[in-house]
Amino acid sequence: MSEQIDNPLQDEVSREASPVESRNIQQFISFKVGDEEFAIDIMAVREIKGWTATAPLPNQPEYNLGVLNLRGTIVPTFDLRCRFGMGRTKTTPYHVVIIASVQERTIGLLVDAVSDILTVNEDQIRPVPDMERITAAEFLSGIITVEESMVVLLSLEKLFHRGETSSSAELAA
């Protein structure tokens, strides 16, 4: 005759938050622009889609490719390579657009490829070192070391702050 004994610890373990839900864990979508790898907070990402042509708008910064129609929502799309002062992207069907939410608006980010989902502890995020190019460093929020490489974390809020007046040429200077 076997009796099952209730184990209060068993119930407590099953109710613990998963590691991803822990307060010290963050997830990022990493992507490539040129040979560099960047990442943004996964909570900002709404969708990832293949490149489709955009409709250009007049008097926009060079890094603004125009707008695309995403199931009825008009989404401004930005070329991150150009935004970083690395020249304009020659788009192919292999390029990817990350649809993200930034300060109550939806934007598209043209990147070369999406790489991975990174799950890291907050203490794995290193601060951005002091650099001479202060303007460019303003939209970097940290650096993660992944195996032998480093991934730069972007602050989309700072990168696409409304009223942005600096151009990619200023960033490249």
Side-chain angles (χ1 to χ4, degrees):
M1 178 169 161
S2 67
E3 284 186 24
Q4 187 168 7
I5 300 173
D6 288 300
N7 183 351
L9 291 177
Q10 181 73 23
D11 288 340
E12 193 168 310
V13 169
S14 64
R15 282 183 258 143
E16 286 184 19
S18 71
V20 173
E21 295 170 328
S22 171
R23 282 194 277 170
N24 296 331
I25 301 292
Q26 293 183 328
Q27 288 190 309
F28 301 92
I29 295 282
S30 66
F31 53 89
K32 288 200 168 251
V33 176
D35 293 332
E36 305 300 322
E37 191 147 350
F38 299 92
I40 58 174
D41 188 338
I42 197 168
M43 296 305 291
V45 176
R46 298 291 167 242
E47 183 175 335
I48 298 170
K49 64 186 290 311
W51 167 251
T52 55
T54 58
L57 298 174
N59 297 324
Q60 296 297 307
E62 185 180 9
Y63 59 86
N64 186 339
L65 298 171
V67 295
L68 62 86
N69 184 347
L70 185 68
R71 295 180 296 279
T73 301
I74 304 302
V75 178
T77 303
F78 301 95
D79 181 348
L80 278 187
R81 177 189 306 266
C82 187
R83 182 68 175 96
F84 296 155
M86 299 167 23
R88 198 162 187 169
T89 301
K90 295 178 182 168
T91 56
T92 69
Y94 302 109
H95 283 91
V96 177
V97 177
I98 299 173
I99 306 297
S101 294
V102 181
Q103 297 176 337
E104 301 177 11
R105 65 182 179 147
T106 302
I107 63 171
L109 306 169
L110 175 65
V111 301
D112 293 338
V114 171
S115 305
D116 205 354
I117 296 174
L118 305 174
T119 302
V120 298
N121 269 319
E122 284 181 357
D123 60 359
Q124 292 176 282
I125 301 171
R126 303 289 181 237
V128 177
D130 287 335
M131 297 183 291
E132 290 183 27
R133 295 180 54 200
I134 302 299
T135 304
E138 289 177 357
F139 51 80
L140 307 180
S141 61
I143 297 175
I144 304 171
T145 301
V146 179
E147 296 173 4
E148 299 298 319
S149 64
M150 291 189 284
V151 178
V152 177
L153 301 178
L154 298 176
S155 169
L156 293 179
E157 291 78 17
K158 294 177 183 172
L159 186 60
F160 294 102
H161 176 69
R162 288 184 187 245
E164 176 68 43
T165 56
S166 64
S167 69
S168 59
E170 291 173 354
L171 294 174

